[in-house]
Amino acid sequence: MSHRMSASYDRRVEGVRQRRASLASQYGGDTRSSVTDKKVEEEEEEEEKKKEIGDSQFLLLDRFLVGHKIGKGSFSTVYFGRDTKTNARIAIKTEAIVAKDPPQLQADVAVLRTIRDMNGGMMPTGFTRLLASGVDTVYNIRFAVVELLADSLEALVFRQPGCRLTVHTVLMLADQALSRLQVMHDAGFIHRDVKLANFVMGRGPFSPVLYLIDFGLTKTYLDSRGTHIAEYGPDGKPVRGILAGTLSYMSLRAHKVLQQSRRDDVESLAY
């Protein structure tokens, strides 16, 4: 442990001791009492809440309080937030409105709504609930309010010794991941950016549930008649597509900039 980290740790420990001593004298107990420990935990939780909301700037739809930044991608930024109506923790995804850029967040919202509607108005397991979406003209942003999730598989893997998961864990996660892709494919979509960072674990009672997120590059693989899009032209040559995805996880066809289909999502999942 570095000297700076050690000093910071010592100050925190000393602060906890002082609060315990103060609370112990207040409640007539010793510094090891369960009452004291509970009060310290409550104080620390309250401090954490203040930190989460400390740099909040504004309300969206006069309801959703925007807090600190918790993530950033190529097209959007994700903030911690709170629903002032229910006091629930939420995530707020925002995207700057720039005329030259295609609206990635708009596609994200459209996919979630379609999947929800195809499931009888209920979001299927492993897809985050869409609470609200819209445009804020004051800050010139598009936004989507969704339930707050936990860490991505990418973060979890890199925290493991040797960056490895057990075979049992991999098989359980793969089973869930395939189920998420099946829901997307049944809805007529291909994800086109399947990677560890786009699989996220749930929170609380849903902590074992794997979620699929980020549908900014998603597209339909069916035409207006419900027929699979052409992969080969009249001349028998493969139809060209666009370079979409993350290089480390893209399928061989995607690297060749060919039209992608469901198999490319599954190939990316294998990587």
Side-chain angles (χ1 to χ4, degrees):
M1 184 182 290
S2 69
H3 175 72
R4 182 179 297 176
M5 291 176 64
S6 177
S8 176
Y9 175 78
D10 290 343
R11 285 196 300 271
R12 178 174 170 79
V13 170
E14 183 58 30
V16 170
R17 285 174 179 165
Q18 289 176 1
R19 288 203 302 278
R20 281 186 174 157
S22 173
L23 288 165
S25 61
Q26 181 180 345
Y27 286 91
D30 62 39
T31 58
R32 295 167 297 175
S33 71
S34 59
V35 172
T36 301
D37 288 341
K38 187 172 185 299
K39 282 291 178 182
V40 170
E41 288 173 5
E42 288 174 354
E43 283 190 3
E44 290 176 344
E45 184 178 349
E46 197 61 36
E47 286 298 318
E48 187 64 26
K49 287 180 181 178
K50 289 177 182 178
K51 178 183 175 184
E52 288 170 345
I53 303 298
D55 39 14
S56 296
Q57 310 241 342
F58 58 97
L59 282 171
L60 289 172
L61 303 178
D62 292 324
R63 174 176 174 179
F64 303 108
L65 185 64
V66 181
H68 66 277
K69 182 168 67 176
I70 55 178
K72 185 172 176 60
S74 302
F75 304 100
S76 60
T77 304
V78 183
Y79 295 89
F80 172 87
R82 279 194 183 273
D83 183 343
T84 58
K85 186 176 180 180
T86 65
N87 202 37
R89 295 181 175 190
I90 54 173
I92 302 171
K93 194 172 185 179
T94 67
E95 174 188 69
I97 300 176
V98 182
K100 65 178 181 178
D101 292 335
Q104 301 285 332
L105 189 56
Q106 189 172 313
D108 208 58
V109 170
V111 170
L112 284 173
R113 282 178 173 162
T114 300
I115 291 174
R116 180 188 62 193
D117 293 344
M118 291 188 68
N119 196 50
M122 297 289 291
M123 197 63 79
T125 300
F127 290 85
T128 183
R129 289 183 298 116
L130 179 66
L131 305 176
S133 64
V135 174
D136 188 285
T137 55
V138 175
Y139 292 92
N140 202 33
I141 57 170
R142 296 183 185 89
F143 65 87
V145 181
V146 296
E147 62 182 315
L148 184 66
L149 300 176
D151 290 329
S152 69
L153 284 189
E154 183 177 62
L156 291 173
V157 167
F158 282 102
R159 283 211 297 265
Q160 302 305 309
C163 297
R164 290 177 179 273
L165 300 175
T166 65
V167 174
H168 178 72
T169 300
V170 170
L171 291 175
M172 291 185 67
L173 291 172
D175 181 56
Q176 290 198 62
L178 284 169
S179 296
R180 306 301 173 258
L181 289 181
Q182 183 178 10
V183 170
M184 279 210 70
H185 295 164
D186 287 347
F189 296 111
I190 51 176
H191 192 281
R192 298 201 301 176
D193 197 18
V194 174
K195 58 183 179 181
L196 288 176
N198 284 339
F199 284 104
V200 181
M201 303 307 298
R203 296 174 64 90
F206 300 103
S207 58
V209 177
L210 184 68
Y211 287 75
L212 179 59
I213 64 168
D214 202 349
F215 309 106
L217 294 179
T218 294
K219 67 168 288 187
T220 180
Y221 64 89
L222 302 173
D223 63 21
S224 57
R225 297 169 297 174
T227 305
H228 198 293
I229 53 176
E231 294 185 88
Y232 294 90
D235 57 0
K237 293 182 179 180
V239 175
R240 300 287 290 180
I242 64 169
L243 189 66
T246 301
L247 291 176
S248 301
Y249 299 93
M250 284 164 53
S251 68
L252 294 178
R253 287 178 61 84
H255 277 287
K256 294 177 181 177
V257 199
L258 299 178
Q259 187 82 272
Q260 293 190 50
S261 185
R262 289 170 289 182
R263 64 165 172 259
D264 298 283
D265 278 349
V266 178
E267 186 177 334
S268 292
L269 178 61
Y271 297 141

